Amino acid sequence: SENFSCPNCNIALPEIEPRMFSFNSPQGACENCKGLGTVIKINPRIVFNDNLTIGEGGILPYKNILDKDTWFSRLLNTFFEEHNIDTTKPIGELSSESKQLILYGSEETFAVHGVNRQGRPTTIYERFQGLIPDLEQKHSESDSEFMRREIEKFMNEEECEACEGKRLRKEVLHIKILDKNIFDLCDMPITAALSFLAEAVGAVSDYEKEVSRVIYQEIKDRLQFLINV
């Protein structure tokens, strides 16, 4: 196919070029981690103080929010009421189901009653998506450096699930020579990489040898220089 597309999985690649193999390039970097190989995510083990109740600030990222009369605090209180989550019981005594609901929310939409800025009784309909999605969304979208730093107190750095720490797009990692992609090759000891390239060149047709001759010689010379060093 002229479009470098797979008829089975419907994945299509643009024309293959060198910048696709660099995690420093937007064309090559994993879209999920932006080429870093890691992402920072909310750690559910450090967002609760099990000795405190919800009303006492036991949900640490929300401890100051619940003291204020805002639409978000009203939504949270409505959510707790609808799911029978006891805000006067220490969080350590809540069921695992209640904790999961706090962390990941539900698909339900709740009628939240309150008074608007003009002093009129108002009802809004909202869904609580959960503490973790809410904080990660605020962290990625907020322009406030202070807010981002506050949220990062509850975050850990983890290996990117999309690229498994390899920093490149999955499409790029599926471009292989003898079942090895560029990450596999760069992960080899230098002498093993040189031997693999010699094996790869020996396995192709005469036409492919001619096409890759200059590239192979450049890589071979550089690897041999590193081995000599």
Side-chain angles (χ1 to χ4, degrees):
S1 169
E2 293 180 356
N3 295 322
F4 302 103
S5 63
C6 173
N8 297 321
C9 62
N10 295 319
I11 291 177
L13 286 175
E15 184 175 351
I16 298 172
E17 51 186 342
R19 60 183 178 173
M20 287 179 61
F21 297 92
S22 170
F23 47 74
N24 290 318
S25 163
Q27 287 74 23
C30 169
E31 292 179 307
N32 188 53
C33 65
K34 312 303 180 192
L36 295 174
T38 58
V39 292
I40 54 174
K41 302 180 80 172
I42 299 295
N43 182 346
R45 293 183 295 276
I46 61 175
V47 295
F48 295 134
N49 183 332
D50 286 342
N51 298 317
L52 299 178
T53 67
I54 293 174
E56 292 169 339
I59 305 176
L60 299 177
Y62 291 164
K63 63 181 180 180
N64 296 322
I65 292 174
L66 293 172
D67 293 336
K68 301 171 184 175
D69 185 24
T70 65
W71 284 108
F72 186 67
S73 65
R74 293 169 196 158
L75 169 62
L76 284 176
N77 286 320
T78 302
F79 180 82
F80 297 146
E81 289 172 11
E82 292 291 331
H83 286 283
N84 297 315
I85 297 174
D86 190 345
T87 59
T88 63
K89 182 187 289 187
I91 288 181
E93 297 179 15
L94 295 178
S95 67
S96 57
E97 290 79 10
S98 294
K99 290 181 180 179
Q100 283 293 105
L101 281 168
I102 295 170
L103 291 174
Y104 298 103
S106 68
E107 296 297 323
E108 305 155 278
T109 299
F110 299 100
V112 183
H113 307 288
V115 177
N116 64 18
R117 293 178 181 177
Q118 287 75 38
R120 298 172 183 168
T122 305
T123 299
I124 64 170
Y125 297 88
E126 289 282 351
R127 181 176 78 85
F128 177 57
Q129 60 181 340
L131 179 151
I132 289 178
D134 176 61
L135 291 180
E136 289 182 346
Q137 180 180 344
K138 286 175 179 172
H139 182 267
S140 64
E141 296 178 358
S142 176
D143 293 326
S144 167
E145 188 62 31
F146 173 77
M147 177 178 282
R148 289 168 62 87
R149 285 200 305 269
E150 287 298 302
I151 295 173
E152 285 170 7
K153 293 177 182 177
F154 306 99
M155 304 181 90
N156 284 347
E157 188 174 79
E158 298 179 9
E159 183 181 272
C160 174
E161 294 178 356
C163 67
E164 298 178 336
K166 297 175 182 177
R167 307 173 76 172
L168 293 164
R169 289 173 181 259
K170 64 179 181 179
E171 296 88 350
V172 174
L173 294 171
H174 279 84
I175 299 171
K176 298 181 179 181
I177 298 174
L178 297 186
D179 292 329
K180 292 196 184 296
N181 59 38
I182 189 170
F183 179 86
D184 297 330
L185 191 59
C186 291
D187 204 37
M188 288 180 171
I190 303 169
T191 51
L194 187 58
S195 298
F196 170 80
L197 287 168
E199 179 188 352
V201 169
V204 299
S205 67
D206 291 340
Y207 170 74
E208 290 169 326
K209 282 178 184 167
E210 184 58 30
V211 169
S212 61
R213 179 174 56 81
V214 175
I215 298 170
Y216 170 61
Q217 191 60 46
E218 283 285 332
I219 298 173
K220 178 183 175 183
D221 288 348
R222 294 177 192 215
L223 288 176
Q224 189 61 59
F225 171 77
L226 290 172
I227 290 169
N228 294 341
V229 169

